[in-house]
Every structure is written in structure tokens, then in C-alpha cells.
Amino acid sequence: MSDRILIFDTTLRDGEQSPGCSMNLSEKVNLARQLERLGVDVIEAGFPIASDGDFESVKAVAKEVRGPIICGLARTGEADVERAAQALDGARAPRIHTFIATSDIHLEHKLRMSREQVREEVERAVTQARGYVDDVEFSAEDATRSDPDYLVEIFSVALEAGARTLNVPDTVGYTTPDEYATLIATLIERIPDSSRAVFSVHCHNDLGLAVANSLAAVRAGARQIECTVNGIGERAGNTSMEEVVMALRTRPQVCGGADTGIQTQEIYPSSRMLSSITGVSVQPNKAIVGENAFAHEAGIHQDGVLKAAITYEIMTPESIGRTSNELVLGKHSGRHAFADRLEELGLEIEGEEFQRAFKRFKDLADSKKVVYDEDLEAIVADSSISTEDRFALESLAIQSGSEGRARASVQLKVDGVPRETTATGVGPVDAVFKAISDLTETESELERYQVHAVTAGLDAQGEVSVTISEAGRSVVGHGAHEDVLVASGKAYVHALNKLEWHRKRKPVEEPRGI
Ligand code: KIV
Ligand code: ZN
């Protein structure tokens, strides 16, 4: 058995299903490019039949990202599989991932199908998918609550029909490491010709065991791990990519020497990029990528680390791409130095976006003593331009103080046409948001408003995340600026543009079924 573990990244599909983590097309393509730099083997780019937006995103990722296998999800229905194949047409290495539930709980209450009907569906869908592509993955949803004898039967049918990856999802995060390892070993042992398939694991974190379960499954013979950056995903999330990859890299012998092809120094940039796109930061004590993951607070620990890092550090911050982050660029630095640093950070922008980012950098370098890598990430996230944006913030002016109501005058372009208004509010943010809401005539609700300093120091940029919702869909917008009110206006406009993008793309009528 090979020691190489395939990393199947589902940040753009299962991850995107977590509240507030929806992304638009250009954000998905940018993240997919970063996943390619990270070295993942498979990118699950979306669920093409779920909405026109999902379809377009899978298509765009398939066209733009040529290294990894690009995968599209499909239920076993004929239309689902066909739509996935259409979205993947143009991919260098396409994979169709089809799934259906196999537990009696799901068969009885959700699908209202017999075991025999599900068996026929699997055979039909895998055969149909193989008619479009060579690389087909089959998942038995809720596998860990399914009858193991029935799982052996279903996976044997899928293998016989041409699926070469058999995925065993712990859909509801119910299993435990020993139990999961036994299930994987049983399947490998009992499915005829099982060596023709790669066994894959897909764990949810409801009991906080997703990473432990995935590692136990690897010990039992699984060779593909499905995971997400920062562990985002339905409910408590999916297996965290950075945790499972670093566990394998740091303790190779525990899993019999198994390892991934991940470029670990790209882990931290990937985590930061995802947080900056979604506006959802990781908790400070999150393993590997949290703010405190490498911080030694206790005196006795600091003393030990200064004498020899190995005393309290099991891996180095550099190994996951957390470098000393002071940028030795100032207001006299030129375009080349700026572009070089962006390239080192994996932040690829060009054309008009680059010009805007460079101007923001110069302005910031004028007003701030030191510019950090985090500042650059915020600038780049903030300079991204989408030709589809309906609204553009032009300027704002605010009057506020300890007495009376705050007043904000805002200038926006709506579909390229300049518009201006003044509004009052209980505070300056309220006044800015009321003015923007009047100009855009939005009916969305404001759900969450968060500000945090990008770096330390009183001259730090403020990074604002705004979550708004309309008709059951919530989106997050973000903006960064030295003036938190300007950052707030930008974040709100960014969120409104995302909502517009989703509104234009019709979702499917039926529920997603996962
Ligand atoms: O959790 C799950 O079962 C899934 C499947 C579609 C693989 O996400
Ligand atoms: Zn899942």
C-alpha cells in the first residue's frame, strides 16, 4: 500500500456551506489558485446543480486551475450527474463525485427509498458518470450510521460500475477513532477487489473528533482525506486541513510513515486568505493557524524556548509559512519591491487592481510607521475589483461627537451613476450604513458587525466585517482602512455587491439534500 495520502480539499463546497462563508466567483477562483500552490491533490469546486452560481464557479475553477484534479458534486439523479459533467467540461483532470445516503435513518425519513432502490441508483449514477469521465468518486452519505453489510454491498456495486474512489463519510460527526478504523479495515477486507479503489474519509467535527477519526482511518488503510482550510464546513465543520496535514508531517511514524504532498509553508497564507475572503477569523487558540498557536506566554516556557526552541515547540512557525512579518518597505519603496513582496506572499494581482493596491500601500506607508504582511493582505483583499460590482463607494464625510446624532454624507456609484445622500444615526457607523442603505435601496438585514485591528499599534488599519442577509442567504463583506468608518462603509458595500451577485444567480428549487 502506498504511503502517499491524497488531500481532497472541499473548502469551496462543504466549507462554503457554513453560515457566512459563501464566496463569489472571483473569490473562489483566487482561493482555488492558492489551493493549487498549497499542493492539494483534488479541489472540490462546488455542487453544479445547486445554483447557476455554483455551476459557473466550478466551470471557472476548471478552466483556470490546471494542476489538481477538479471535482464537482452530484446527487445520484440523472440531471445532477449531467450538470456536473457540463461544469467540468474543460477541466484538465475532471472528477465527478456522486453520493447517496445509505443509513436506514436517511432511507426511511429523507429518501423514502428501499435498500434495493438505492443500490440501483448507485449503479446507474456511477455508470452514467463514467460515461463522461474516467475519474468517479462515490460517497455513501451517513456511512458511519449505516449497516456495514449493506455498505459492503453498495461500495462493491459502485466499484464494479467504475468508481475508483470510495468515500466513507461521517456525515453527522458521530463516530470515534477506533470504531471508524474498524469500519475502514472491514470495508477494505470484505469488498471484492478493494485494492482497485482508493478509500477516502470525510469527517465532520460535531464531537471534535474529525482530525482524530481521519488519522485513525489512515492507519486502517484510507488513502484520501477530505478536509477544509480552517476546518470550515456544515455545523461544527469538517476535518481541518492544516491540523491533519501537520499531524502527519510532525508524527510520521504514528501513521506508518504516511505523508501528503502539501507544501506546508503555504498553510498559513491559505488560512489567512480564506479568513480575509469570508471575514470569518479563526479562534486565537486554533491549532496551527490561530494567533496564539506559536505564542509562549509563561515565563518558564519563554525561558525554555530561548535556550532551545525544541523544549516547547514541536514544529516551527516557518514550516507553515508564518514568517517574521515586518515588511522592510516604506514610503520610498517602489513598485518592484512592492510587487516582489506580494509575490512572496502568494498574492497575485495585476492591472488596475495592482495600481489600486500600490496607491493604498503608498497612502498607508505615509500614515503608518511600519507596514506588515497582514496590512498587505488587507490591502490586496480590499483592492479586488469585480466588473460585476453594482455599487462603488466614492467618498464619505462624517460629523459626530458626544452630543446629538451623528451625520454622514455618502457618495456612491450605482451601476456607474453617481448618487449622494446624507443620513443621521445613533452613532457614526449607523449614519454611514443608513446613507448606504438609502442609496442602494437594499432590503437586507444587518446581522453582524465586527472590527479588528489588522496589526498592533494605534496607527493600525481597522478591518471590518459585515454580515448581511436577505431571503435566507447571508453574506460577509469586508473592508480595511486606517479610518474604521471608511473601512465600515467599504465592508457594507462589499457585502451588498456579494448579495447582488448571488441574487442574479437562481438557486435550484429542491433542497441540496446534504
Ligand atoms: O458529509 C457528507 O456526507 C458529504 C457528502 C456529500 C460527501 O458532504
Ligand atoms: Zn460533508
Side-chain angles (χ1 to χ4, degrees):
M1 193 182 290
S2 147
D3 292 336
R4 174 73 156 78
I5 305 300
L6 302 170
I7 292 294
F8 175 114
D9 184 280
T10 183
T11 309
L12 296 175
R13 197 279 297 169
D14 220 341
E16 210 223 2
Q17 286 175 217
S18 32
C21 286
S22 68
M23 299 170 231
N24 65 24
L25 189 136
S26 59
E27 291 167 340
K28 284 187 180 176
V29 172
N30 282 344
L31 191 62
R33 290 204 184 104
Q34 176 58 28
L35 293 173
E36 183 176 31
R37 280 191 286 274
L38 178 65
V40 306
D41 300 282
V42 186
I43 295 177
E44 186 163 55
F47 186 7
I49 202 160
S51 71
D52 291 350
D54 261 45
F55 179 84
E56 283 172 34
S57 306
V58 175
K59 211 171 166 51
V61 170
K63 182 164 161 255
E64 302 282 331
V65 181
R66 310 301 288 175
I69 294 169
I70 306 297
C71 174
L73 184 69
R75 288 165 298 190
T76 49
E78 214 174 315
D80 273 54
V81 177
E82 191 184 336
R83 194 83 174 130
Q86 285 165 351
L88 292 168
D89 191 29
R92 183 194 64 80
R95 171 180 295 185
I96 295 179
H97 174 193
T98 185
F99 76 99
I100 191 165
T102 49
S103 66
D104 289 334
I105 301 173
H106 279 235
L107 263 61
E108 186 186 335
H109 300 288
K110 185 181 86 175
L111 299 175
R112 305 221 161 85
M113 286 167 80
S114 66
R115 286 188 177 192
E116 182 51 28
Q117 283 171 316
V118 167
R119 206 189 80 92
E120 281 165 15
E121 265 298 283
V122 172
E123 187 168 18
R124 202 209 49 70
V126 173
T127 309
Q128 182 193 353
R130 276 304 304 262
Y132 302 119
V133 295
D134 288 339
D135 186 351
V136 174
E137 169 167 339
F138 168 73
S139 285
E141 191 192 7
D142 205 17
T144 52
R145 291 191 301 167
S146 304
D147 170 4
D149 291 338
Y150 183 53
L151 275 184
V152 169
E153 181 186 339
I154 285 292
F155 280 128
S156 305
V157 167
L159 183 61
E160 200 47 43
R164 286 294 167 268
T165 304
L166 301 178
N167 185 35
V168 189
D170 183 28
T171 305
V172 291
Y174 179 72
T175 198
T176 58
D178 287 349
E179 185 184 72
Y180 200 40
T182 305
L183 177 63
I184 301 293
T186 306
L187 294 172
I188 294 176
E189 194 185 307
R190 290 186 46 202
I191 294 170
D193 275 338
S194 65
S195 62
R196 287 194 293 156
V198 170
F199 283 80
S200 167
V201 288
H202 176 113
C203 298
H204 282 267
N205 206 27
D206 300 66
L207 294 174
L209 292 172
V211 171
N213 287 337
S214 303
L215 292 173
V218 166
R219 278 199 304 276
R223 284 296 172 265
Q224 174 175 284
I225 299 177
E226 304 200 351
C227 50
T228 59
V229 175
N230 296 344
I232 64 167
E234 284 275 340
R235 307 179 309 277
N238 289 60
T239 300
S240 147
M241 177 278 299
E242 52 281 355
E243 293 177 22
V244 85
V245 165
M246 290 313 287
L248 287 169
R249 191 62 55 93
T250 310
R251 304 296 311 277
Q253 292 324 317
V254 172
C255 284
D259 199 5
T260 68
I262 292 295
Q263 303 295 319
T264 59
Q265 71 284 1
E266 292 295 336
I267 285 180
Y268 192 58
S270 307
S271 163
R272 297 277 314 167
M273 181 185 275
L274 178 65
S275 292
S276 112
I277 288 175
T278 58
V280 179
S281 342
V282 297
Q283 88 254 18
N285 62 331
K286 163 90 172 67
I288 320 292
V289 292
E291 205 176 309
N292 299 343
F294 292 90
H296 302 280
E297 200 64 29
I300 196 164
H301 287 205
Q302 288 175 348
D303 181 51
V305 169
L306 286 174
K307 287 177 176 146
I310 195 174
T311 50
Y312 287 100
E313 239 173 47
I314 58 165
M315 59 199 148
T316 63
E318 289 77 19
S319 67
I320 59 138
R322 290 176 86 140
T323 47
S324 108
N325 55 10
E326 200 167 310
L327 173 64
V328 201
L329 291 183
K331 59 183 171 186
H332 303 299
S333 306
R335 266 168 227 279
H336 279 304
F338 178 68
D340 282 354
R341 188 62 190 158
L342 290 188
E343 201 184 322
E344 279 165 28
L345 292 172
L347 302 169
E348 282 175 29
I349 48 168
E350 42 191 34
E352 209 189 321
E353 284 183 34
F354 178 84
Q355 303 306 343
R356 271 166 66 129
F358 184 64
K359 176 162 185 327
R360 283 275 299 118
F361 160 69
K362 286 299 234 184
D363 292 347
L364 190 65
D366 264 341
S367 63
K368 203 171 177 280
K369 284 191 217 89
V370 189
V371 177
Y372 297 91
D373 290 346
E374 283 90 340
D375 286 316
L376 286 192
E377 288 166 359
I379 287 174
V380 168
D382 207 48
S383 309
S384 67
I385 299 168
S386 165
T387 47
E388 297 190 75
D389 284 356
R390 264 199 85 197
F391 312 118
L393 181 65
E394 295 287 292
S395 70
L396 54 85
I398 294 122
Q399 274 181 313
S400 73
S402 55
E403 304 295 321
R405 286 172 71 78
R407 194 180 181 79
S409 299
V410 174
Q411 288 188 324
L412 275 190
K413 273 196 180 150
V414 178
D415 296 322
V417 180
R419 294 175 67 177
E420 188 174 350
T421 197
T422 299
T424 60
V426 287
V429 176
D430 189 37
V432 170
F433 280 23
K434 282 203 171 115
I436 293 175
S437 160
D438 288 350
L439 290 173
T440 56
E441 296 171 11
T442 181
E443 288 179 4
S444 59
E445 299 272 324
L446 179 66
E447 280 183 0
R448 201 161 45 137
Y449 170 82
Q450 271 181 314
V451 194
H452 89 273
V454 172
T455 56
L458 286 175
D459 59 357
Q461 290 191 90
E463 194 167 41
V464 174
S465 303
V466 168
T467 308
I468 57 173
S469 68
E470 188 184 87
R473 163 161 322 261
S474 57
V475 293
V476 182
H478 58 82
H481 200 272
E482 305 89 282
D483 181 331
V484 285
L485 295 172
V486 177
S488 303
K490 286 176 160 201
Y492 190 28
V493 169
H494 183 224
L496 290 166
N497 278 322
K498 278 172 104 172
L499 210 51
E500 283 292 312
W501 187 85
H502 286 291
R503 191 183 294 132
K504 276 193 240 147
R505 279 144 188 96
K506 149 180 93 57
V508 282
E509 300 300 315
E510 307 161 64
R512 287 178 163 216
I514 26 176

